[in-house]
Amino acid sequence: MKKNTVDMFTRIFKVLQPPPEMTLSQWADKFRRLSAGSSAEPGRWKTAKAPYQKEIMDAITDITIKKVVIMSAAQVGKTDAMVLNPIGYYVHYDPSPIMVIQPTIDMAEKFSKEKLSPMLRDTPVLADRINEKSRNSGNTIMQKIFPGGFITIAGANSPTGLRSHTIRILLADEIDAYPASAGKEGDPLLLASKRQTTFWNKKQVDISTPTVKGASRIEVEYENSSRGEWNAPCPCCGELQPLVWSNVVFDKNDLSEIRYACSKCGVISSEAEWKEHFIDGTFVHEDPDNPVRGFHLNTLASTLTTWQEVVEKFLTANDQMKKGNVELMKVWTNTEMGQTWEEDGETIEDDELMKRREKYKCEVPEEVLYLTAGVDTQDDRFEIEVVGWGPEYESWGIRYAAIYGDNSDINNQVWQDLDTFLLQTFEKPDGTKMKLSCVCIDSGGHRTNQVYKFCKARFNRRVFAIKGSNDSAAAYIQKPSKSNREGAYLFTLGVDTGKSLLMDRLKLEEEGPGFCHFPKEEGKGYDEKYFKGLTSEKKVMRYKMGRPYFAWELKDKGEHKRNEALDCRNYATAAIEIINVPLKKPDKKKEATAAKKIVKRGRRRSGGIL
């Protein structure tokens, strides 16, 4: 028999023989190699370095388990242990058609180039099966072919990649970042799972850090699983327990040692003492008979980072939350604790804010460092708010006004009136005259081109056109463009993000960072109508193609349905973010010292004559 024929039958036999009795963790310890370019410690894989990974990995290759769900923190080695290692196992020992889904096509390509290709190259048993260098191999960035199967890498936003193959193994990474629909064809995870119907031994692995409670897909998957929580034994009494943030003990002024209090015996032990016993940790499942195996763990269980890093991130997020910015705390809760963030209910009432009005000693309080304005454009008027900004985003409402007139033509008087209003100065207690540092004008209505023309001519005064993004999760301030007809700078705002930030600040009850002040003086525009407009909307959950998302909607669609005051404050807030100035308390001692140095240098240069 010819050698080529023998080789062919040998390959077929290897493909058809039953897989050997080897778990995924055993395979990884024996064969997996970590690449120098993508790992801090290249070389042989060692499951013992992150003990919590063992049970998860072995569940993925357990033939009796059809689905595995992992809801976890970010820094626990998810990609290596729960995506790359299963790929290696099924390529080497149990050849099968495999699909890996990333949130977008771009992320899928990045995963293939930066994660998958190095593993295939540097793990010998995989390099023998997938030859990426060969022109005749048929391999591309998005597909790798090997004897007995293939790997398809797809983006959740691409219906073509999700429907084009029959697969046995589905590895879905970061599912909370998936769009509600792949194009117009429906839920991307459902589309992909339909490709598995012909396999009796199919496997689906859903992985993600969670997002917002009620809108998190991985949370739903986890709640319908066995709900396994990582438990570690106390170094003192040996009792197994989940690691919770409330038991972390630290001095915020000295983070050299972070400790943890046992929830059973109360003894406080060091991080090193707890992590020495992680090898004896395990997952405790609430519903162990559930056919879907679910796992949850936070960064306190991770051996890939330190508790000091977790505490430092918490302190930074907590500091920002005191200033009315909860975004970092949301991120910390999701990525460090592996938990969903629960949005507060709508509790702000217009009459409560109105009672908070105060009498300023001057038109502009002394603490104000910069002034900005937000302009809402209606067909028959402009509504404008001027806001003063002090240290750490403490704000003072300065003036709210409406300018009525036909603004359909840029040459009409109302546009000149608007310009006059924006050119005026506002006085501080010491007589200093302050001008507006930045202005944002809404261009999203029927006066788009007129707004562009007005703003372009006033670029040097930082008068910018803005429009709201349709994406409820969009970043607050995005890179400006000039691709409009007039060539004016246009900023697209994540207005829903801005409204959330504003509502968090309005809830603050103590003066200081983030607190919002309002004047009581007559004629400033801060009347009952203003506060009803400022609090006119609430955050609600809606569904699109079966997927939940949050949106801002009017509380009352009857008499008090105007929200211009809310929009104006949102735009004025965006203006201070756009100019990106440091909002810190002036250091008077430093200023005085600097002034003295300037005087001394001046004397030397001028021979004593100033």
Side-chain angles (χ1 to χ4, degrees):
M1 187 179 292
K2 293 184 179 180
K3 183 177 183 302
N4 289 345
T5 305
V6 172
D7 289 343
M8 180 185 69
F9 279 110
T10 301
R11 287 197 299 271
I12 293 174
F13 176 74
K14 286 182 177 180
V15 169
L16 295 178
Q17 68 177 338
E21 295 296 325
M22 179 177 281
T23 66
L24 178 53
S25 62
Q26 291 171 340
W27 178 89
D29 285 333
K30 186 173 182 179
F31 295 107
R32 174 74 195 279
R33 295 296 182 271
L34 296 169
S35 305
S38 56
S39 174
E41 296 184 32
R44 191 167 184 171
W45 172 275
K46 296 178 182 178
T47 302
K49 293 190 67 175
Y52 51 82
Q53 294 177 346
K54 183 178 187 303
E55 186 178 338
I56 300 175
M57 287 197 294
D58 291 348
I60 292 174
T61 52
D62 186 335
I63 199 69
T64 65
I65 298 173
K66 302 299 182 186
K67 188 174 183 179
V68 177
V69 175
I70 304 112
M71 181 174 78
S72 78
Q75 300 184 66
V76 296
K78 295 197 302 291
T79 301
D80 267 311
M82 303 157 208
V83 181
L84 291 172
N85 281 350
I87 291 173
Y89 180 93
Y90 286 111
V91 169
H92 180 207
Y93 264 137
D94 192 3
S96 307
I98 305 166
M99 176 178 284
V100 181
I101 308 177
Q102 294 291 334
T104 66
I105 295 175
D106 288 343
M107 292 176 71
E109 290 181 356
K110 185 176 181 181
F111 166 81
S112 179
K113 293 175 182 177
E114 298 180 7
K115 299 290 185 180
L116 180 58
S117 288
M119 180 187 75
L120 298 177
R121 179 192 66 219
D122 297 332
T123 301
V125 295
L126 302 180
D128 289 344
R129 286 160 175 75
I130 300 179
N131 184 2
E132 293 195 280
K133 293 183 179 180
S134 172
R135 293 183 179 180
N136 299 322
S137 66
N139 291 318
T140 65
I141 293 174
M142 305 300 276
Q143 180 162 293
K144 316 293 181 185
I145 300 172
F146 56 89
F150 56 80
I151 309 165
T152 290
I153 306 102
N157 58 345
S158 169
T160 304
L162 299 173
R163 70 179 180 217
S164 57
H165 301 283
T166 300
I167 56 169
R168 176 190 161 203
I169 310 300
L170 175 58
L171 304 172
D173 197 13
E174 294 300 341
I175 66 171
D176 267 22
Y178 289 7
S181 178
K184 297 181 179 179
E185 300 199 17
D187 180 79
L189 203 52
L190 184 60
L191 282 176
S193 63
K194 286 181 178 179
R195 315 305 338 148
Q196 296 181 285
T197 53
T198 58
F199 287 92
W200 67 270
N201 56 350
K202 62 186 177 182
K203 178 79 66 174
Q204 180 172 333
V205 182
D206 294 343
I207 309 166
S208 193
T209 52
T211 49
V212 178
K213 189 174 184 63
S216 172
R217 180 156 198 170
I218 196 68
E219 180 188 39
V220 174
E221 297 284 352
Y222 179 75
E223 289 300 322
N224 287 283
S225 74
S226 62
R227 299 186 299 283
E229 184 75 34
W230 172 254
N231 281 237
C234 170
C236 185
C237 69
E239 284 287 327
L240 281 171
Q241 58 199 279
L243 298 176
V244 295
W245 175 248
S246 58
N247 286 7
V248 177
V249 180
F250 62 89
D251 178 356
K252 66 179 182 180
N253 298 314
D254 181 12
L255 300 181
S256 58
E257 183 177 16
I258 314 295
R259 298 180 296 164
Y260 189 90
C262 173
S263 59
K264 307 294 183 180
C265 68
V267 173
I268 300 175
S269 305
S270 69
E271 177 181 2
E273 289 170 326
W274 275 92
K275 289 189 173 181
E276 282 177 9
H277 292 77
F278 277 10
I279 193 70
D280 299 314
T282 188
F283 282 92
V284 177
H285 295 264
E286 284 186 46
D287 184 10
D289 296 327
N290 195 307
V292 178
R293 212 68 173 159
F295 301 91
H296 174 259
L297 67 154
N298 59 41
T299 311
L300 297 175
S302 176
T303 54
L304 307 178
T305 187
T306 66
W307 287 356
Q308 181 175 335
E309 292 177 73
V310 181
V311 172
E312 287 173 346
K313 291 175 183 177
F314 168 78
L315 292 174
T316 300
N318 193 51
D319 182 56
Q320 288 296 309
M321 192 163 72
K322 290 178 181 177
K323 301 170 186 176
N325 182 4
V326 300
E327 293 305 311
L328 281 182
M329 188 58 78
K330 287 183 183 180
V331 172
W332 182 86
T333 301
N334 296 157
T335 61
E336 301 297 331
M337 292 297 101
Q339 297 172 344
T340 53
W341 173 267
E342 188 165 1
E343 297 281 1
D344 290 337
E346 186 60 57
T347 58
I348 301 173
E349 298 297 334
D350 57 285
D351 56 346
E352 291 298 320
L353 288 179
M354 192 169 178
K355 289 177 185 177
R356 217 165 72 186
R357 292 182 302 172
E358 59 195 271
K359 287 189 176 182
Y360 297 168
K361 295 178 181 179
C362 191
E363 187 177 27
V364 178
E366 183 180 357
E367 297 87 347
V368 172
L369 303 173
Y370 300 93
L371 295 177
T372 65
V375 182
D376 186 65
T377 307
Q378 298 295 322
D379 288 354
D380 63 344
R381 70 191 184 281
F382 298 108
E383 296 208 15
I384 314 155
E385 184 175 22
V386 177
V387 180
W389 299 94
E392 307 295 348
Y393 291 95
E394 189 169 4
S395 65
W396 285 262
I398 304 300
R399 180 81 186 277
Y400 190 86
I403 302 175
Y404 286 85
D406 178 9
N407 51 27
S408 60
D409 190 326
I410 191 66
N411 296 312
N412 286 355
Q413 180 64 40
V414 69
W415 286 99
Q416 296 176 36
D417 294 342
L418 173 62
D419 195 39
T420 300
F421 183 96
L422 299 178
L423 280 169
Q424 69 180 301
T425 59
F426 301 84
E427 190 171 347
K428 296 190 74 171
D430 62 0
T432 301
K433 303 288 186 180
M434 295 189 72
K435 294 182 178 181
L436 296 175
S437 297
C438 185
V439 179
C440 285
I441 304 181
D442 170 36
S443 68
H446 297 148
R447 308 295 186 239
T448 302
N449 286 332
Q450 293 91 325
V451 171
Y452 290 162
K453 288 180 180 178
F454 183 85
C455 293
K456 183 179 181 181
R458 291 156 183 83
F459 170 76
N460 291 336
R461 285 163 45 194
R462 291 176 176 163
V463 177
F464 297 120
I466 61 95
K467 71 173 183 179
S469 170
N470 292 325
D471 182 359
S472 62
Y476 191 21
I477 309 297
Q478 299 172 37
K479 186 177 180 180
S481 68
K482 294 176 65 179
S483 57
N484 51 79
R485 181 188 298 179
E486 304 297 332
Y489 276 89
L490 172 66
F491 284 86
T492 300
L493 305 184
V495 288
D496 285 359
T497 304
K499 289 174 183 177
S500 296
L501 174 62
L502 174 56
M503 291 302 163
D504 290 331
R505 288 175 176 170
L506 289 173
K507 291 174 187 175
L508 297 175
E509 297 180 355
E510 295 184 9
E511 294 185 17
F515 185 80
C516 301
H517 300 262
F518 302 99
K520 200 171 185 178
E521 290 85 354
E522 293 293 332
K524 298 294 184 182
Y526 293 89
D527 53 15
E528 182 180 1
K529 180 181 176 182
Y530 168 83
F531 289 103
K532 285 189 179 296
L534 187 64
T535 59
S536 61
E537 294 187 11
K538 61 182 178 180
K539 182 181 281 188
V540 296
M541 186 180 291
R542 292 288 178 258
Y543 291 84
K544 181 179 181 180
M545 297 182 179
R547 293 291 301 277
Y549 69 96
F550 286 101
W552 285 87
E553 295 182 358
L554 290 168
K555 292 181 187 177
D556 180 5
K557 297 183 180 180
E559 181 183 356
H560 303 297
K561 63 179 181 179
R562 310 307 310 191
N563 63 351
E564 287 86 353
L566 174 59
D567 287 339
C568 286
R569 178 57 70 108
N570 200 356
Y571 304 155
T573 304
I576 196 66
E577 295 287 351
I578 287 172
I579 58 176
N580 194 28
V581 290
L583 293 173
K584 297 181 179 180
K585 288 184 179 180
D587 190 332
K588 294 183 178 179
K589 289 184 178 180
K590 188 179 289 186
E591 289 178 358
T593 302
K596 287 180 181 179
K597 289 181 178 178
I598 291 171
V599 170
K600 288 179 180 179
R601 286 197 297 268
R603 283 175 178 163
R604 284 196 297 270
R605 286 196 299 268
S606 61
I609 301 175
L610 291 176

